[in-house]
């Protein structure tokens, strides 16, 4: 293939400029700022700051509360990711069996699901309303005195359920379109080659869904880590108390409630490194395997 | 090896479309049957019902005397080769070929031996560890064949397996598939819309049109004694000439010229004659106007008009021909007469 090139050096730079400016203003600048302030101890009342080197990071490593929040974040992320993916996959497989060939029906269903996530998140919260939420009442009816925002485990359960509830529709759409893009004849060949439906699923369907699944795995981990902020905020309502929270929420609580800008910056730098690692991992693997055709 | 029997098999799709009107035929042990017909006539539908990929609306399908209507595709002892090959994209060639055997709990060493045999037979040895995406169309086709062969099925089903290949490869694979089927002696049903494939490969041809079987017969029967004008014009390139004629007093007349004596009945008929069954020469009894000469190397096609109707003649390369008026004669034993309205052979 012939490569088209720019004759003037400045033209490509000029064309990239708007994008570069946006990245610089909204990402590199705040990131650099966070890195910088993570080396300082900020006066809580805004009177200057003192350079403390790596002290903020050392504090984090030795802070029992921070470590237990980190541990909770890991469990929370694994649970939300696993449940969101597996429930969505199960639903998508069931829907796919019904929808094979019925195109208009399929498009309609997709629309509904595409509109759903924000609404679903809201409904999820209503479900757990302390006094009249149906799920709260259901828990009470089986003798589980569900105390959202008071009992650690109850709140954690509700957080996981609402986060999963919110993410399932998104995953569902991706899985469903992944399933529908598997050629009909490949499934039919498997039908002749293998009597067992579950065998066909694990040998043929699941591996062919792997590109979709891997993409979703990364997005779901990112979602659990960062985008569940809203859910947690609604449940914890800025009152940490005895409540569970994730690392991202802890950054907010320390920085904006506790006015510990240095410590909170160090935490966000840790999170940035985590995201970076995830991204590198994703690109490596995507490049290496998992694409066919 | 298998005998296949279809009794009044009918297919109505859920949307109400009748893709196959009740149809019956039997296929003998080791026979190679080709289903041919224009696009949308129901060939794939019929084949897929035999495979178990499509439900049979009415009728009874038996393989070796066993009713198969409700048997799982995996239990019908069949192997199918699809038009787009339908290889498993994430599996190596070796795994693609072995997958069916593995699921039948075949011992490992037997699988290995069979895969090796099939690979040798199909010249796939160097590609066994590649993914299908790293193969050419012809190689993928071979893998699909390999996958079918290793299962030692009672019945091979092919749905236009060659239509994605270029002309040269198609000719080559056509011969290979036929030779392979002869060697293995496996009963086969082969769907195509290419009449050359049908003529060259089939022991028997089933010509279909609009969800109906038009004719079942050997390639020679189909070619020389078509049961209807549809079959006459579908099989053969160029197709059979079909000319309106009159039957009068035991003679068939075109424009007042007698072309055939000793035919019974009277009234309008459609006369069919293959282009190669026409003799060009001054002593011919019919006048023919040549418009265009198509030079095909080994022979020529003369397109023109006979009694104001389109007509084509096939002549050898050494026959002199020029555009303009000439005279022809029809070989009387090669003439088929059809009913002018129903198109059925008389
Ligand atoms: N799933 C389906 N639902 C409804 N109608 C169908 C379905 N599949 C096929 N048909 C219809 O049934 C008829 C026969 O289709 P079929 O696929 O058997 O044709 P075919 O002879 O194989 O044609 P081609 O040579 O183009 O493959 C067509 O009119 C088609 O539109
Ligand atoms: Mg077809």
């Amino acid at each position: 293939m012939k490569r088209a090139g720019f004759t003037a050096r400045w033209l490509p730079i000029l064309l990239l400029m708007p994008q570069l400016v946006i990245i610089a203003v909204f990402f590199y600048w705040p990131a650099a700022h966070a890195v910088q302030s993570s080396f300082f101890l900020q006066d809580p009342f805004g009177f200057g700051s003192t350079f403390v080197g790596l002290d903020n990071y050392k504090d984090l490593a030795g802070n029992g509360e921070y470590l237990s929040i980190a541990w909770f974040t890991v469990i929370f992320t694994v649970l939300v990711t696993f449940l969101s993916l597996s429930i969505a996959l199960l639903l998508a497989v069931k829907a796919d069996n019904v929808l094979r060939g019925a195109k208009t029906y399929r498009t309609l269903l997709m629309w509904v699901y595409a509109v759903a996530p924000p609404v679903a998140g809201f409904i999820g919260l209503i479900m757990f309303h302390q006094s009249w939420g149906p799920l709260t009442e259901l828990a009470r009816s089986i003798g589980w005195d569900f105390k959202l925002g008071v009992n650690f485990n109850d709140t954690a359960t509700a957080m996981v359920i609402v986060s999963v509830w919110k993410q399932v529709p998104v995953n569902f759409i991706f899985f469903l379109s992944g399933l529908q893009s598997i050629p009909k004849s490949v499934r039919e060949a498997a039908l002749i080659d293998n009597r067992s439906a579950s065998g066909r699923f694990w040998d043929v369907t699941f591996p062919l869904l792997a590109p979709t699944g891997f993409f979703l795995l990364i997005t779901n981990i990112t979602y659990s880590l960062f985008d569940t902020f809203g859910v947690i905020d609604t449940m914890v309502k800025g009152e940490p108390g005895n409540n569970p929270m994730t690392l991202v929420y802890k950054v907010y609580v320390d920085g904006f409630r506790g006015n510990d800008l240095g410590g909170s910056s160090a935490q966000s730098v840790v999170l940035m490194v985590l995201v970076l690692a995830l991204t590198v991992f994703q690109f490596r693997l995507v490049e290496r395997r998992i694409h066919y055709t | 090896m298998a005998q296949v029997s279809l009794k009044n098999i009918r297919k109505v799709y859920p949307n109400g479309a009748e893709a196959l009107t009740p149809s019956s035929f039997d296929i003998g042990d080791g026979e190679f049957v080709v289903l041919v017909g224009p696009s949308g006539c129901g060939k794939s539908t019929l084949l897929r019902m035999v495979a178990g990929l499509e439900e049979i609306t009415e009728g009874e399908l038996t393989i070796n005397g066993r009713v198969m209507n409700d048997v799982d595709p995996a239990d019908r002892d069949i192997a199918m080769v699809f038009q787009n090959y339908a290889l498993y994209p994430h599996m190596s060639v070796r795994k693609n070929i072995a997958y069916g055997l593995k699921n039948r709990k075949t011992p490992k060493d037997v699988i290995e031996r069979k895969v090796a045999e099939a690979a040798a037979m199909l010249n796939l040895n160097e590609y066994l560890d590649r993914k299908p995406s790293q193969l050419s169309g012809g190689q993928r086709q071979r893998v699909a064949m390999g996958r079918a062969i290793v299962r030692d099925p009672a019945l091979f089903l092919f749905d236009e397996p060659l239509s994605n290949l270029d002309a040269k490869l198609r000719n080559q694979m056509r011969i290979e598939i036929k030779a392979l089927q002869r060697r293995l002696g496996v009963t086969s049903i082969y769907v195509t819309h290419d009449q050359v494939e049908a003529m060259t490969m089939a022991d028997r041809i089933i010509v279909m049109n609009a969800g109906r079987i038009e004719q079942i017969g050997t390639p020679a029967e189909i070619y020389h004694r078509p049961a209807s004008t549809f079959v006459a014009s579908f099989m053969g390139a160029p197709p059979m000439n079909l000319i309106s004629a009159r039957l009068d007093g035991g003679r068939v007349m075109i424009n007042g010229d007698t072309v055939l004596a000793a035919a019974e009945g009277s009234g309008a008929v459609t006369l069919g004659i293959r282009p190669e069954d026409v003799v060009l020469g001054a002593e011919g009894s019919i006048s023919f106007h040549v418009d265009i000469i198509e030079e095909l190397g080994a022979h020529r096609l003369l397109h023109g008009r006979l009694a104001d109707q389109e007509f084509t003649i096939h002549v050898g390369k050494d026959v002199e021909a020029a555009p303009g008026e000439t005279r022809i004669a029809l070989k009387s034993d090669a003439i088929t007469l059809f009913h002018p309205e129903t198109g059925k052979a008389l």
Side-chain angles (χ1 to χ4, degrees):
Chain A
M1 212 200 323
K2 186 177 174 286
R3 290 185 128 214
F6 290 105
T7 39
R9 257 293 172 76
W10 53 268
L11 185 60
I13 295 175
L14 187 76
L15 292 175
L16 279 174
M17 213 38 139
Q19 183 66 35
L20 290 177
V21 167
I22 288 171
I23 294 177
V25 169
F26 290 102
F27 180 71
Y28 285 115
W29 185 64
H33 199 73
V35 172
Q36 189 209 11
S37 51
S38 72
F39 296 119
F40 288 84
L41 185 62
Q42 300 270 349
D43 182 282
F45 303 101
F47 302 117
S49 52
T50 343
F51 182 78
V52 292
L54 289 175
D55 278 5
N56 283 328
Y57 292 95
K58 284 185 197 143
D59 283 353
L60 283 187
N63 183 336
E65 193 207 350
Y66 184 74
L67 292 181
S68 70
I69 288 178
W71 182 234
F72 175 78
T73 308
V74 170
I75 295 173
F76 176 80
T77 304
V78 169
L79 275 178
V80 171
T81 304
F82 176 76
L83 290 175
S84 307
L85 288 176
S86 46
I87 293 173
L89 180 59
L90 186 75
L91 291 177
V93 168
K94 296 289 170 210
D96 180 55
N97 290 340
V98 180
L99 293 186
R100 286 247 132 217
K103 263 222 169 97
T104 40
Y105 189 27
R106 182 169 96 207
T107 318
L108 279 177
L109 196 80
M110 292 264 197
W111 276 5
V112 175
Y113 276 92
V115 175
V119 183
F122 181 66
I123 294 174
L125 284 174
I126 290 178
M127 298 291 233
F128 283 108
H129 192 277
Q130 273 110 317
S131 43
W132 47 264
L135 285 181
T136 317
E137 282 178 3
L138 182 73
R140 288 212 182 104
S141 72
I142 57 167
W144 178 3
D145 187 15
F146 202 91
K147 289 208 177 76
L148 185 71
V150 178
N151 180 299
F152 183 95
N153 285 334
D154 291 356
T155 315
T157 310
M159 275 180 189
V160 171
I161 292 178
V162 175
S163 304
V164 169
W165 175 275
K166 242 182 105 175
Q167 186 63 9
V168 162
V170 181
N171 293 348
F172 173 86
I173 294 178
F174 279 97
F175 274 134
L176 187 60
S177 64
L179 283 168
Q180 307 244 328
S181 68
I182 297 176
K184 186 174 160 218
S185 58
V186 170
R187 289 158 169 268
E188 289 176 344
L191 213 56
I192 293 173
D193 271 345
N194 194 344
R195 173 178 307 112
S196 135
S198 67
R200 290 195 298 268
F201 178 79
W202 292 112
D203 292 344
V204 178
T205 313
F206 192 74
L208 290 179
L209 271 184
T212 313
F214 186 73
F215 162 77
L216 285 180
L217 180 68
I218 300 289
T219 26
N220 277 253
I221 291 177
T222 318
Y223 162 81
S224 318
L225 283 175
F226 300 98
D227 295 346
T228 48
F229 183 91
V231 172
I232 295 168
D233 188 46
T234 329
M235 296 202 176
V236 176
K237 300 187 190 69
E239 305 298 335
N242 173 37
N243 280 323
M245 66 176 90
T246 59
L247 288 173
V248 170
Y249 200 71
K250 173 80 173 149
V251 171
Y252 163 77
V253 167
D254 283 2
F256 293 90
R257 296 286 159 133
N259 278 338
D260 175 13
L261 278 187
S264 144
S265 295
Q267 291 179 27
S268 43
V269 171
V270 170
L271 286 177
M272 265 187 317
V273 172
L274 199 70
V275 174
L276 203 68
L278 263 178
T279 313
V280 169
F281 175 69
Q282 172 177 19
F283 281 132
R284 274 289 160 80
L285 258 143
V286 164
E287 259 172 29
R288 191 100 46 82
R289 313 187 293 123
I290 326 198
H291 51 82
Y292 308 113
T293 50
Chain B
M1 312 313 103
Q3 282 149 349
V4 182
S5 159
L6 285 82
K7 287 199 196 81
N8 293 317
I9 296 276
R10 174 165 185 250
K11 178 68 189 181
V12 181
Y13 277 108
N15 65 2
E18 185 179 35
L20 190 69
T21 56
S23 305
S24 307
F25 58 88
D26 294 308
I27 302 175
D29 211 356
E31 198 177 10
F32 196 111
V33 168
V34 173
L35 287 176
V36 66
S39 185
C41 69
K43 309 179 292 287
S44 300
T45 303
L46 205 166
L47 192 77
R48 292 164 53 78
M49 284 194 287
V50 176
L53 300 174
E54 209 69 73
E55 206 154 323
I56 297 172
T57 314
E58 270 170 38
E60 192 178 81
L61 167 74
T62 56
I63 300 180
N64 280 338
R66 182 172 160 216
V67 178
M68 287 290 174
N69 287 41
D70 298 317
V71 176
D72 204 276
D75 295 327
R76 294 192 181 192
D77 201 13
I78 51 160
M80 182 153 171
V81 178
F82 294 81
Q83 176 170 4
N84 59 6
Y85 320 133
L87 301 177
Y88 308 118
H90 58 296
M91 294 187 195
S92 65
V93 168
R94 188 191 306 279
K95 287 198 174 139
N96 259 286
I97 297 178
Y99 185 61
L101 292 179
K102 208 184 89 194
N103 293 317
R104 292 170 154 198
K105 308 266 183 300
T106 314
K108 262 223 167 77
D109 52 320
V110 178
I111 295 184
E112 252 166 55
R113 184 169 49 75
K114 286 194 164 185
V115 171
E117 277 171 17
M121 203 185 291
L122 296 162
N123 287 325
L124 283 171
N125 279 324
E126 357 167 4
Y127 309 113
L128 279 177
D129 294 312
R130 290 206 199 166
K131 293 274 167 64
S133 59
Q134 298 163 319
L135 299 178
S136 73
Q139 290 159 350
R140 285 181 211 184
Q141 220 289 322
R142 283 166 208 272
V143 177
M145 285 296 298
R147 193 166 65 176
I149 291 172
V150 289
R151 303 187 46 174
D152 289 331
L155 178 64
F156 275 143
L157 303 172
F158 301 90
D159 194 353
E160 309 201 23
L162 304 182
S163 58
N164 285 349
L165 302 179
D166 67 52
K168 188 153 174 263
L169 205 53
R170 196 151 61 210
N171 285 341
Q172 184 192 335
M173 287 305 294
R174 195 173 75 204
I175 294 163
E176 282 183 31
I177 291 179
K178 179 67 191 176
L180 208 61
Q181 191 268 344
R182 272 275 153 275
R183 179 140 49 109
L184 303 172
V186 178
T187 313
S188 304
I189 307 180
Y190 187 105
V191 164
T192 180
H193 58 246
D194 179 348
Q195 41 111 358
V196 179
E197 271 173 35
M199 292 296 292
T200 53
M201 299 176 87
D203 294 326
R204 257 188 325 153
I205 297 178
I206 299 179
V207 184
M208 295 184 59
N209 180 27
R212 276 180 302 109
I213 293 180
E214 285 273 338
Q215 187 174 3
I216 303 180
T218 64
E221 281 166 4
I222 298 277
Y223 190 78
H224 296 295
R225 287 200 296 282
S228 65
T229 47
F230 173 81
V231 177
S233 56
F234 187 76
M235 301 299 287
M240 186 180 263
N241 293 300
L242 295 170
I243 294 282
S244 319
R246 287 206 68 76
L247 199 53
D248 205 356
R251 291 178 305 171
V252 180
M253 323 268 290
I254 299 173
N255 237 11
D257 297 325
T258 301
V259 295
L260 182 68
E264 286 167 20
S266 65
V269 288
T270 301
L271 178 150
I273 184 140
R274 295 267 170 211
E276 64 273 20
D277 292 326
V278 179
V279 187
L280 194 64
E283 65 278 12
S285 61
I286 308 163
S287 71
F288 173 62
H289 186 89
V290 181
D291 291 330
I292 299 169
I293 300 181
E294 218 179 342
E295 199 66 57
L296 294 172
H299 58 262
R300 293 187 185 125
L301 295 178
L302 315 183
H303 300 285
R305 307 189 73 74
L306 185 155
D308 260 351
Q309 298 172 62
E310 281 182 23
F311 199 83
T312 299
I313 304 177
H314 174 127
V315 294
K317 62 179 175 212
D318 40 359
V319 174
E320 290 296 328
E325 284 303 324
T326 178
R327 298 197 74 77
I328 55 170
L330 311 182
K331 290 185 188 163
S332 54
D333 55 349
I335 290 174
T336 314
L337 296 178
F338 301 96
H339 190 283
E341 274 126 41
T342 63
K344 296 267 174 273
L346 294 175

